[in-house]
Amino acid sequence: MSHKKYLPPSKEEGNTPETGRLELPAGHRTHHLSSRWSARRRRDTWLLLGVLLFGIATIFALAGGGTRSSSGSANVLRSGRLAATATKAQSITSPTLTATGEFQEYPLPQSDSQLMRPAIDHEGRLWFGEMGRNYLAVFDPRTRTFRQMIPPRGRFGVMSVQVASDDTIWFVEQYANYIGHYFPTTGHYQVYPLPTLTVPDPSHAGKTLTLPGAPNELALDTRGTVWFTEFNADAVGSLDPRTGLMRHYPLAAKRTVQTLVPYGVTVDPQGMVWFTEMSGEHVGRLDPTTGRIRLFTPPGSDMPPMEIASDTHGIIWVTTFSTGLLLRLDPRTGAFTSYAVPFSDPHTGGLYGLAVTAAGEVWVTVLAENTIARLDVAAHRFISYRIPTPGSEPLGIVVGANHTLWFTEVDKIGMLRP
């Protein structure tokens, strides 16, 4: 296990008031197109979901040096093959029942917003990143207004957002390479920089590139520790906000870069940290007490796991994109059960967003079908709700009060009451 101690940021970084703030009602839309995103690039990017946007696009040289952490390694137990072989993996082709629900969609003030994963605070407000607009944003359903803020040193990389118990906001800035903490009551930010990576430049022999660690997703445990995946660095990281201590857990005995591509992360009721390896095609479990990592291999091949969540009983759920499978992993036995969503066109992509309710309901976004779907575990089938607007490209999803589902589209916030 390697670690680095947090160095206090400069006053400009550590005590930065919000900048670029806009407050506009939903539906008030300007027609200015972002110079960073063409319509074709937008669709290609969202269909590839990270392969272009989060992987390839991060291979660029960053100006200036980065922080360093002392070298070390996590205790990796590669038992995924054993787990997959020793257990009876079950695959279920699930019929889909079409249902109707109450939908409401709220357009963003601008186009090409590229909304990312949402989170809900205790007042019912929805927080999310806009990668196409370089915003950390919030939507208030009561007033139907958006507030958009440019984070410090923002580089169009606000990916994952989480709401802490005190309603402060944690987020990752993938391209600017930091973990951010935003205080809504004061409008101030705290920035925790990540180490950069120095790798050979494939285009210029003898030269090197400086890459961001590229934090991708984050999760909070019951003690307030922030856990995050490092997309480029092939590691899982943790940040203790009370001390500023940041640790990095490499996922392989030999350090690699952009090989395993850790993507999603969650914390189960026992405090174990779970993550997905998109290129490594593993589901991993990290024990924070020992630093030990165990890997589980889902059955089948060409099955990049992406989003991950734990239910209240510790069962792990995982979405896959290219195969359209929802995976269930029982950590006690290591057994996987896969649920296949039927597609009208099997070549248009699969599942992405994932939310598990306190009652154990499992919800997913299905990009290929433009739907929000719930798995009926007992009946082995999906209940599907088609979004009224064609081509909405639903991505992130979160469960709010009164069994309301909130989800992000390319340029809208969506709401579903089943």
Side-chain angles (χ1 to χ4, degrees):
M1 177 180 66
S2 64
H3 67 277
K4 79 178 188 70
K5 287 189 176 180
Y6 167 67
L7 300 177
S10 64
K11 292 181 180 179
E12 288 76 19
E13 293 176 353
N15 195 32
T16 307
E18 61 184 66
T19 59
R21 170 172 169 170
L22 301 173
E23 189 158 351
L24 295 171
H28 181 279
R29 180 186 293 276
T30 67
H31 296 282
H32 173 71
L33 295 179
S34 168
S35 60
R36 283 180 167 256
W37 296 89
S38 68
R40 182 175 181 179
R41 178 183 173 93
R42 177 185 70 182
R43 182 163 297 276
D44 289 344
T45 297
W46 284 79
L47 289 179
L48 290 175
L49 276 178
V51 175
L52 293 179
L53 178 61
F54 314 136
I56 297 173
T58 57
I59 306 179
F60 60 90
L62 295 179
T67 56
R68 294 184 178 180
S69 60
S70 58
S71 61
S73 63
N75 184 8
V76 180
L77 175 62
R78 290 193 169 270
S79 58
R81 182 179 300 275
L82 175 61
T85 302
T87 59
K88 296 180 180 179
Q90 184 180 12
S91 181
I92 300 172
T93 300
S94 310
T96 299
L97 175 66
T98 301
T100 58
E102 177 189 350
F103 278 95
Q104 182 68 51
E105 295 174 280
Y106 302 92
L108 267 288
Q110 301 90 14
S111 60
D112 283 316
S113 295
Q114 305 293 344
L115 304 193
M116 298 309 297
R117 307 176 191 97
I120 293 181
D121 66 18
H122 293 92
E123 295 183 20
R125 297 175 299 183
L126 212 67
W127 293 83
F128 52 91
E130 296 183 53
M131 291 190 76
R133 289 287 171 174
N134 196 30
Y135 290 144
L136 172 67
V138 60
F139 172 67
D140 190 334
R142 297 166 299 184
T143 60
R144 299 187 179 184
T145 56
F146 292 91
R147 185 156 51 93
Q148 300 165 309
M149 300 148 286
I150 299 176
R153 297 184 297 163
R155 294 198 177 196
F156 294 76
V158 177
M159 283 285 297
S160 182
V161 176
Q162 290 290 335
V163 178
S165 58
D166 60 357
D167 268 349
T168 58
I169 309 301
W170 288 94
F171 64 96
V172 298
E173 221 298 354
Q174 191 174 60
Y175 301 147
N177 203 38
Y178 66 75
I179 306 299
H181 194 190
Y182 176 64
F183 299 82
T185 56
T186 63
H188 289 78
Y189 293 85
Q190 181 71 58
V191 172
Y192 299 86
L194 269 67
T196 55
L197 310 169
T198 301
V199 298
D201 185 345
S203 302
H204 301 88
K207 296 186 177 181
T208 60
L209 288 176
T210 301
L211 303 180
N216 189 66
E217 283 202 8
L218 56 80
L220 306 177
D221 66 20
T222 56
R223 301 178 66 244
T225 302
V226 182
W227 294 91
F228 53 93
T229 49
E230 299 180 63
F231 194 89
N232 280 347
D234 289 342
V236 171
S238 70
L239 167 66
D240 186 343
R242 295 164 297 184
T243 63
L245 179 66
M246 189 178 287
R247 290 188 170 93
H248 305 275
Y249 301 81
L251 301 182
K254 182 180 179 181
R255 281 187 178 272
T256 56
V257 176
Q258 293 183 335
T259 300
L260 302 174
V261 190
Y263 201 88
V265 65
T266 192
V267 181
D268 72 17
Q270 288 73 45
M272 294 291 180
V273 179
W274 292 83
F275 58 91
T276 59
E277 293 177 357
M278 194 171 74
S279 290
E281 296 191 5
H282 291 111
V283 175
R285 182 181 66 196
L286 165 65
D287 185 338
T289 303
T290 64
R292 191 177 190 183
I293 294 172
R294 180 179 180 183
L295 300 178
F296 300 83
T297 304
S301 59
D302 189 24
M303 191 183 298
M306 301 194 80
E307 296 291 274
I308 186 168
S310 171
D311 67 19
T312 56
H313 302 290
I315 297 296
I316 303 301
W317 296 90
V318 180
T319 57
T320 66
F321 184 65
S322 61
T323 59
L325 293 179
L326 175 63
L327 304 178
R328 178 188 186 272
L329 169 61
D330 187 339
R332 296 167 297 183
T333 63
F336 282 91
T337 303
S338 58
Y339 300 88
V341 177
F343 292 111
S344 54
D345 182 350
H347 303 293
T348 53
L351 310 182
Y352 185 80
L354 172 66
V356 181
T357 70
E361 291 185 348
V362 183
W363 291 86
V364 295
T365 58
V366 189
L367 279 80
E369 300 298 312
N370 202 47
T371 61
I372 308 298
R374 176 177 65 85
L375 175 65
D376 185 336
V377 178
H380 304 296
R381 68 182 180 187
F382 285 92
I383 313 298
S384 179
Y385 298 82
R386 182 168 295 278
I387 301 171
T389 304
S392 295
E393 297 179 6
L395 185 68
I397 187 170
V398 66
V399 181
N402 302 318
H403 203 66
T404 300
L405 281 299
W406 293 92
F407 56 94
T408 56
E409 305 176 17
V410 175
D411 290 322
K412 299 177 183 177
I413 292 294
M415 182 274 290
L416 165 63
R417 289 194 181 98

